[in-house]
């Protein structure tokens, strides 16, 4: 695949856990984001990849970009560079932005790093919360809990809004917060109408150097950047109340087959296929 990309002038620029970023010397204002089939859990990239995952999450990002009435980084127009057919269904051609170094996290429910911080401080990112909340509880209202983007392989660090002001300045910090909360409101409402809870998500924004417009970047509202729960399971309150729509099968299998030391075992074919089916199901339910 990389030969086909190189033959078309694409040069590798950045590797994330599950996605790659390419640039093109003849098209400096554009970049290519390619999603792999890799899946990560417990901070490990697992083997094997999940067939179709990259294409399914790319389709979900594209769908959400269409649903959201905000400027985004998808490239459009006539004179676009060619993308190899082998990766086209899991690739997004995007405009190069001046990226802001803030992970714009919005939480409608208390979970993950938010739950960890809450237990220690009864707050998240400096936002005080009511006492007595449990893991997975719905918050009184969605909260903006930014994070500083840590280097590859390290955990992002939750920061206060005031710290984000120091990082990007007051006008941009406020615009990031307001845009993130507005998008989350729209997306969580749409997901709820499909019986899916959007518990939390992470946006990335940049400023378009050509226009100065704050622009939604990266992937958007995928199950890699968001926690999605099944609303019926959540309401039932059982052990699967907080089951991640796509990764719970993998997490449960690892919990029974790995002691969390060393590298995780290879996923058996049945787990791989059931997980692939869950990615397909989430896309089908959200985009129905
Ligand atoms: N999107 C975007 C984007 C853009 N439109 N313009 C300039 N830079 C970036 C960019 C560069 N790094 N990241 C971090 C997230 N990456 C996303 C791709 O996959 C790897 C991780 C975003």
């Amino acid at each position: 695949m990389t030969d086909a990309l190189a033959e078309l002038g694409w040069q590798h620029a950045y590797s994330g856990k599950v996605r790659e970023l390419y640039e093109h010397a003849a098209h400096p204002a554009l970049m290519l984001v390619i999603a792999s089939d890799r899946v990560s859990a417990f901070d490990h990239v697992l083997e094997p990849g999940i067939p179709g995952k990259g294409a399914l999450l790319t389709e979900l990002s594209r769908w959400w970009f269409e649903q959201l009435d905000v400027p985004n980084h998808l490239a459009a127009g006539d004179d676009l560079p060619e993308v190899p057919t082998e990766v086209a269904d899991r690739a997004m051609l995007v405009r190069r932005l001046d990226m802001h170094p803030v992970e714009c996290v919005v939480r409608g429910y208390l979970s993950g790093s938010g739950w960890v911080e809450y237990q220690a401080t009864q707050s998240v990112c400096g936002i005080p919360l009511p006492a007595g909340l449990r893991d997975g509880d719905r918050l009184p209202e969605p909260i903006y809990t930014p994070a500083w983007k840590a280097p590859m392989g390290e955990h992002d660090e939750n920061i206060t809004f005031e710290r984000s002001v120091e990082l990007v300045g007051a006008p941009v910090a406020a615009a990031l917060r307001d845009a993130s909360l507005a998008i989350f409101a729209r997306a969580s409402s749409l997901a709820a109408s499909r019986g899916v809870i959007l518990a939390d998500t992470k946006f990335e924004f940049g400023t378009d150097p050509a226009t100065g417009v704050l622009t939604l970047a990266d992937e958007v509202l995928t199950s890699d950047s968001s926690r999605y729960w099944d609303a019926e399971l959540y309401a039932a309150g059982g052990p699967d109340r907080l089951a991640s729509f796509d990764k719970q099968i993998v997490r449960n299998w690892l919990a029974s087959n790995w002691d969390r030391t060393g590298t995780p075992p290879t996923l058996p074919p049945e787990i791989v296929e059931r997980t692939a089916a869950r990615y397909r199901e989430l896309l089908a339910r959200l985009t129905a």
Side-chain angles (χ1 to χ4, degrees), residues 189-206:
S189 169
L190 200 156
S193 71
R194 270 80 168 176
V196 177
I197 290 173
L198 174 63
D200 57 41
T201 194
K202 180 267 294 177
F203 303 116
E204 290 191 28
F205 292 87

Side-chain angles (χ1 to χ4, degrees), residues 14 16 19-21 31 33 73 94-97 99 149 204 217-218:
Y14 177 99
R19 288 173 301 144
E20 314 289 332
L21 200 60
M31 304 181 89
V33 180
H73 66 158
V94 301
R95 299 192 318 280
R96 186 191 295 266
L97 305 176
M99 296 300 289
K149 187 166 182 60
E204 290 191 28
D218 197 22

Side-chain angles (χ1 to χ4, degrees), residues 135-253:
D135 186 14
D137 277 0
R138 185 169 187 172
L139 296 173
E141 61 181 1
I143 58 176
Y144 175 68
T145 60
W148 172 76
K149 187 166 182 60
M152 174 75 170
E154 296 176 34
H155 275 292
D156 295 338
E157 174 192 338
N158 285 357
I159 57 174
T160 61
F161 174 74
E162 289 70 24
R163 178 65 183 125
S164 78
V165 169
E166 292 169 5
L167 287 170
V168 300
V172 170
L176 293 175
R177 175 199 58 205
D178 297 348
S180 299
L181 286 167
I183 295 169
F184 183 87
R186 166 79 176 115
S188 53
S189 169
L190 200 156
S193 71
R194 270 80 168 176
V196 177
I197 290 173
L198 174 63
D200 57 41
T201 194
K202 180 267 294 177
F203 303 116
E204 290 191 28
F205 292 87
T207 294
D208 188 327
T211 63
V213 172
L214 188 70
T215 302
L216 185 57
D218 197 22
E219 61 184 334
V220 64
L221 294 157
T222 71
S223 41
D224 275 354
S225 63
S226 315
R227 279 189 180 84
Y228 283 111
W229 300 332
D230 181 280
E232 277 188 23
L233 284 177
Y234 181 86
D240 289 338
R241 172 173 174 258
L242 309 182
S244 154
F245 215 98
D246 55 316
K247 294 186 184 175
Q248 204 57 43
I249 294 166
V250 166
R251 290 196 179 120
N252 292 350
W253 186 85

Side-chain angles (χ1 to χ4, degrees), residues 66-119:
E66 287 170 20
Q67 306 308 310
L68 301 171
D69 186 22
V70 294
N72 67 62
H73 66 158
L74 291 184
D78 303 326
D79 178 30
L80 298 177
E82 191 178 346
V83 174
T85 49
E86 299 96 313
V87 299
D89 64 349
R90 54 191 178 92
M92 289 193 297
L93 201 52
V94 301
R95 299 192 318 280
R96 186 191 295 266
L97 305 176
D98 297 328
M99 296 300 289
H100 299 298
V102 175
E103 305 269 300
C104 298
V105 179
V106 180
R107 301 171 189 270
Y109 293 73
L110 190 58
S111 194
S113 66
W115 167 241
V116 171
E117 191 174 336
Y118 171 81
Q119 293 175 91

